[in-house]
Amino acid sequence: MPFGEIVCGAPGSGKSTYCYGKHQLFTALQRPISIINLDPANDNITYPCAIDIASLITLQDAMDTHGLGPNGGMLYCMEYLEANFDWLEGRLKELEPDAYVLFDIPGQVELGTNHESLKRIIQKLSKIGFRLAAVHLCDAHYVTDPAKYVSVLLLSLRTMLQLELPHINVLSKVDLISQYGDLDFNLDFYTEVQDLSYLEDVLNTTSPRFTALNMALISVIEDYGLVGFETLAVEDKNSMVNLSRVIDRATGYIFVPSKDASAPEGTIDSSSDPASSRPNLYPLFTTAAGPMAGNVRDVQERWIDAKQEYDAFEKREWRKEGELLREHAAREKATENERKEAGNIKPGGIRERK
């Protein structure tokens, strides 16, 4: 059963950057991954693309052929993909059987909130065996404005109800949030979507004309009680690993390396040991079901409260790591030179003349 993600979100939320970061992470972890570009307007793909919808249709072709604008052309492209789903299914069968698949979706929010084509495409993917989770990216700077935060909550809720998938809402670019001003509350207030009535005083100050409307929307969000957020700093390894673990838990995916995969240096080979002494899969399942390692308070300390201190600490650690690598390379080079010198000396102690 292939597993994967539907990567959606508004334009500029970091979908393509996330896909590229995920590819780098999985490549380092030796986890097979394939990325599918389903955005017909994306002509500048930054990640290795296994399947590109441009082979089927592009936004410019739809606009030129039918006289449509950008929005109408995008909806037409999704309807065209739905009508030609057999093309996508055939291309998916060409991928590695164990590949983890990322579907990079266009940023037009109507596709995930109102339009039915994307929903039906996802349903067809589920019918052919895909186990998918929706990863909905929202730019973290919206939490610095209470009215925008309410709109993000409403958009996230509507997308969850529309796509009908295991759903992870993500505040992306959390490493840049400090550039947009101070937060009115701690970060966990926004990620855990706690008692939103506390926003009323702030909304009265920033947008008094729409306070009643905002509070009515807040009541709808709280009545459903579905929305919550993870955080993401795509350039931070720990942040990417924690988010990947959350997504794996949502889909029920547990990665077990193949028998042919190379083991890390120093690993003890137990393939010839009796069954009673070989590792079993039970620890993998208990690890997947255990408590999550990430903590939103740690995220706030790292990226908001003490960002400069952590950045300076990481630079010092990177500098130390670089010095250690250079010293290691110098020692290896010196050892290699000694071996070459030793190889040029004959048994009688006379150096061989070249």
Side-chain angles (χ1 to χ4, degrees):
M1 176 185 294
F3 289 78
E5 304 171 21
I6 301 294
V7 184
C8 54
S13 58
K15 297 184 297 298
S16 296
T17 304
Y18 168 74
C19 290
Y20 181 57
K22 192 99 174 186
H23 181 272
Q24 289 181 312
L25 175 67
F26 275 33
T27 301
L29 296 176
Q30 298 184 8
R31 282 179 60 169
I33 183 172
S34 298
I35 306 178
I36 316 301
N37 175 45
L38 295 185
D39 186 355
N42 188 0
D43 53 1
N44 185 24
I45 301 174
T46 58
Y47 49 76
C49 185
I51 302 174
D52 189 359
I53 192 176
S55 302
L56 178 68
I57 189 173
T58 64
L59 176 62
Q60 192 63 46
D61 291 341
M63 293 169 59
D64 294 341
T65 303
H66 301 283
L68 299 171
N71 290 338
M74 186 67 71
L75 298 180
Y76 176 84
C77 289
M78 288 296 104
E79 294 172 355
Y80 190 83
L81 177 61
E82 178 192 356
N84 294 273
F85 182 79
D86 54 342
W87 171 85
L88 179 60
E89 182 179 2
R91 295 297 305 274
L92 289 172
K93 290 179 180 178
E94 300 173 2
L95 302 179
E96 298 181 32
D98 297 331
Y100 188 88
V101 184
L102 265 63
F103 294 90
D104 188 7
I105 303 300
Q108 192 170 355
V109 295
E110 295 95 320
L111 296 173
T113 58
N114 305 99
H115 203 254
E116 294 294 323
S117 286
L118 178 60
K119 180 179 179 179
R120 288 193 286 261
I121 290 171
I122 292 173
Q123 290 173 345
K124 291 181 179 181
L125 289 171
S126 300
K127 287 182 180 179
I128 63 175
F130 274 86
R131 187 81 172 265
L132 299 171
V135 179
H136 183 229
L137 301 180
C138 305
D139 200 319
H141 87 268
Y142 288 128
V143 303
T144 60
D145 186 319
K148 292 180 180 178
Y149 175 61
V150 172
S151 67
V152 166
L153 289 173
L154 197 63
L155 174 62
S156 300
L157 176 61
R158 186 67 188 93
T159 306
M160 295 176 75
L161 298 176
Q162 173 74 3
L163 297 184
E164 298 179 346
L165 285 174
H167 199 100
I168 297 93
N169 295 304
V170 181
L171 293 176
S172 61
K173 307 178 187 177
V174 73
D175 51 323
L176 304 178
I177 194 173
S178 59
Q179 300 179 6
Y180 298 95
D182 298 332
L183 300 179
D184 295 307
F185 306 95
N186 287 333
L187 187 60
D188 59 354
F189 174 85
Y190 301 97
T191 58
E192 298 174 10
V193 191
Q194 300 168 356
D195 188 356
L196 297 178
S197 61
Y198 287 104
L199 290 174
E200 184 172 4
D201 292 338
V202 185
L203 290 169
N204 282 331
T205 304
T206 57
S207 53
R209 290 181 56 192
F210 304 103
T211 300
L213 174 61
N214 285 326
M215 296 311 296
L217 295 176
I218 283 174
S219 66
V220 173
I221 295 166
E222 289 185 328
D223 288 343
Y224 277 96
L226 295 175
V227 185
F229 292 95
E230 299 294 329
T231 60
L232 174 64
V234 74
E235 295 182 356
D236 183 65
K237 180 183 69 175
N238 292 330
S239 180
M240 286 290 292
V241 169
N242 289 335
L243 180 59
S244 296
R245 190 177 178 193
V246 171
I247 298 170
D248 288 347
R249 174 177 286 192
T251 59
Y253 181 77
I254 296 177
F255 174 64
V256 180
S258 64
K259 296 180 180 179
D260 300 331
S262 58
E265 185 178 353
T267 303
I268 299 175
D269 184 13
S270 60
S271 58
S272 59
D273 294 346
S276 59
S277 60
R278 287 200 303 267
N280 58 66
L281 294 180
Y282 179 73
L284 293 173
F285 287 91
T286 55
T287 300
M292 301 304 298
N295 189 312
V296 68
R297 294 179 182 177
D298 296 335
V299 174
Q300 175 161 343
E301 181 180 3
R302 170 63 184 90
W303 298 113
I304 300 175
D305 296 339
K307 184 177 186 298
Q308 294 181 352
E309 291 82 352
Y310 272 92
D311 287 345
F313 172 77
E314 286 189 350
K315 288 181 180 178
R316 290 195 299 268
E317 293 299 310
W318 292 339
R319 191 177 297 111
K320 291 179 182 178
E321 184 178 352
E323 292 174 354
L324 291 174
L325 290 174
R326 285 193 293 270
E327 291 176 1
H328 179 70
R331 285 196 300 269
E332 286 189 343
K333 186 176 181 180
T335 303
E336 183 66 23
N337 291 335
E338 290 177 359
R339 290 175 182 172
K340 290 181 178 179
E341 290 291 332
N344 292 334
I345 299 176
K346 292 185 177 181
I350 302 175
R351 186 183 300 273
E352 181 180 359
R353 177 176 293 178
K354 295 183 180 179

